[in-house]
Amino acid sequence: MSESAVKVGADAAAASAVDAKGGAAVKGGAVPLIELVNLKKYFVIKGAKQGSRHVHAVDDVSLSIRQGETLGLVGESGCGKTTLGRTALRLYEPTAGRILYRGEDITDAKMLPYRRKMQIIFQDPSASLDPRMTVGEIVGEAIDIHGLAESKAARRERISALLDRVGLNSEQANRYPHEFSGGQQQRIGIARALAVEPEFIVCDEPISALDVSIQSQIVNMLDDMQDQLGLTYLFIAHDISVVRYISDRIGVMYLGKLVELAESGEIHKNPLHPYTRTLFAAAPVPDPEKNRGRTRAVLEGDIPSPINPPPGCRFHTRCPNAEPRCSAAEPEFREYSPGHYAACHLL
Ligand code: SF4
């Protein structure tokens, strides 16, 4: 473990910050696998003077992810969900806030020991696989970096077992990514993530670039892997219906903020935030007959710029229920029933 990783599991301030911000109070008092505490990620705009203009991609988000659960994270493009996932892995350095892994503050830690435990599956498998490397080299690279095979034979065996686990076979190890379909390429990406025996995987829209016909295969495979390997997922999607069945809890983001968080069944039965309700109303349902008779709610106006987010509640420029106080003060992210949090003045 890195010397810079500071043990703060018993840090009352951190715990209360997470709870107070609605970041998933932890069942039974167990230490969560990962905690984000008041996390911010701002990007400096090119050409602007340092510090003068920023994209507020993630703005003061706190949440915890329990070991073995899937937390679904949804919201429109540009709401900050991908940035949140990447910052949680320190692929982006946070602007402010803290990241805790098993209670250890890894915000400034050397990441090599944690890289093994924390992996990512990318949205576009064709862009995330090096076209000059064979599948065996792609999957084997992480095994080599972390010294996980003692001999060439053990390495070969490990690659073969990984390909087998994701529904490919060892003969395909010598082929290149372009020789595979999109679904197979995503399976290669998953094998690469699994190669280092991770505990936590950020699944960043892993099926949105795939044909509808194979989306369920990939989701089912991720689900089975979680059961078999005890994995913990942050599952990012722009469509709330995608995360509905795979998630234990669902968080909803709008313009860099977490606006609602609850158990999956609860948020479906009783969405509190006007934005969440719009997402549900806009989502397609699997039964075409039911879809035909539905009025699909559409949000008026574009999502505002994260460079200059609206004051008060960031959703007020599009919210059908907005009142004058909504633009004056930011609503608090509060717990309205056990484990169900939302940020809206009208609740
Ligand atoms: Fe809408 Fe106001 Fe609630 Fe924001 S605080 S979601 S603008 S009603």
Side-chain angles (χ1 to χ4, degrees):
M1 184 178 307
S2 163
E3 285 176 9
S4 56
V6 184
K7 185 87 177 161
V8 293
D11 184 333
S16 64
V18 172
D19 289 350
K21 292 296 285 185
V26 180
K27 272 183 190 163
V31 175
L33 190 67
I34 188 150
E35 293 167 83
L36 311 178
V37 184
N38 304 120
L39 197 69
K40 293 185 183 179
K41 179 60 190 175
Y42 297 171
F43 295 101
V44 177
I45 297 169
K46 271 191 186 155
K49 263 201 229 154
Q50 186 79 18
S52 57
R53 293 187 83 201
H54 295 91
V55 174
H56 298 215
V58 174
D59 213 349
D60 201 8
V61 170
S62 296
L63 58 82
S64 303
I65 307 177
R66 304 165 190 147
Q67 184 157 6
E69 84 164 335
T70 297
L71 179 73
L73 195 60
V74 294
E76 291 165 285
S77 292
C79 71
K81 55 194 188 302
T82 289
T83 301
L84 181 96
R86 293 183 183 199
T87 309
L89 299 178
R90 296 255 326 269
L91 297 176
Y92 297 151
E93 290 302 336
T95 304
R98 290 190 293 160
I99 305 162
L100 278 66
Y101 193 79
R102 291 193 178 280
E104 292 167 4
D105 192 333
I106 62 164
T107 319
D108 302 309
K110 288 197 171 73
M111 282 304 287
L112 188 60
Y114 297 98
R115 286 273 167 262
R116 225 193 117 178
K117 299 292 173 198
M118 306 164 78
Q119 288 288 306
I120 184 166
I121 298 166
F122 293 98
Q123 177 179 2
D124 182 354
S126 62
S128 70
L129 303 174
D130 188 332
R132 297 160 303 179
M133 293 170 78
T134 65
V135 170
E137 287 167 343
I138 289 168
V139 177
E141 190 177 39
I143 296 175
D144 298 339
I145 290 170
H146 294 279
L148 299 177
E150 285 168 4
S151 64
K152 280 189 177 168
R155 183 180 185 274
R156 251 195 325 272
E157 220 169 275
R158 199 176 172 112
I159 292 169
S160 176
L162 284 160
L163 294 180
D164 190 46
R165 177 173 277 286
V166 299
L168 300 172
N169 64 60
S170 50
E171 280 113 66
Q172 293 170 311
N174 293 323
R175 290 165 58 182
Y176 289 87
H178 74 268
E179 299 177 63
F180 293 86
S181 68
Q184 288 173 319
Q185 288 174 345
Q186 192 55 293
R187 289 172 190 269
I188 297 165
I190 294 169
R192 174 177 59 187
L194 288 184
V196 290
E197 299 176 351
E199 297 175 326
F200 173 59
I201 301 181
V202 172
C203 304
D204 185 10
E205 305 223 28
I207 59 168
S208 58
L210 306 179
D211 282 353
V212 175
S213 58
I214 49 170
Q215 287 183 350
S216 60
Q217 291 173 19
I218 298 292
V219 169
N220 289 339
M221 190 174 75
L222 290 169
D223 208 21
D224 290 345
M225 279 168 25
Q226 183 173 48
D227 289 345
Q228 290 157 12
L229 304 173
L231 297 168
T232 302
Y233 293 142
L234 176 64
F235 195 101
I236 296 168
H238 59 264
D239 182 350
I240 205 160
S241 59
V242 168
V243 298
R244 182 172 188 156
Y245 297 104
I246 196 171
S247 303
D248 298 293
R249 291 185 300 147
I250 292 177
V252 180
M253 280 189 77
Y254 184 79
L255 211 57
K257 296 274 187 188
L258 193 61
V259 298
E260 187 158 1
L261 176 73
E263 301 282 340
S264 180
E266 163 66 12
I267 204 170
H268 279 83
K269 261 192 292 175
N270 186 28
L272 295 177
H273 197 280
Y275 180 60
T276 311
R277 290 204 290 267
T278 315
L279 286 185
F280 277 120
V285 295
D287 182 344
E289 277 305 311
K290 284 187 185 161
N291 249 341
R292 215 165 287 139
R294 282 169 84 222
T295 315
R296 301 272 289 275
V298 180
L299 270 179
E300 299 285 332
D302 294 329
I303 190 166
S305 167
I307 298 168
N308 193 15
C313 172
R314 291 190 179 181
F315 189 50
H316 83 258
T317 57
R318 301 167 85 196
C319 180
N321 311 109
E323 296 182 348
R325 60 177 163 161
C326 299
S327 55
E330 186 176 345
E332 193 189 341
F333 194 66
R334 288 199 293 126
E335 189 174 26
Y336 288 91
S337 61
H340 194 160
Y341 300 82
C344 174
H345 287 307
L346 301 194
L347 298 174

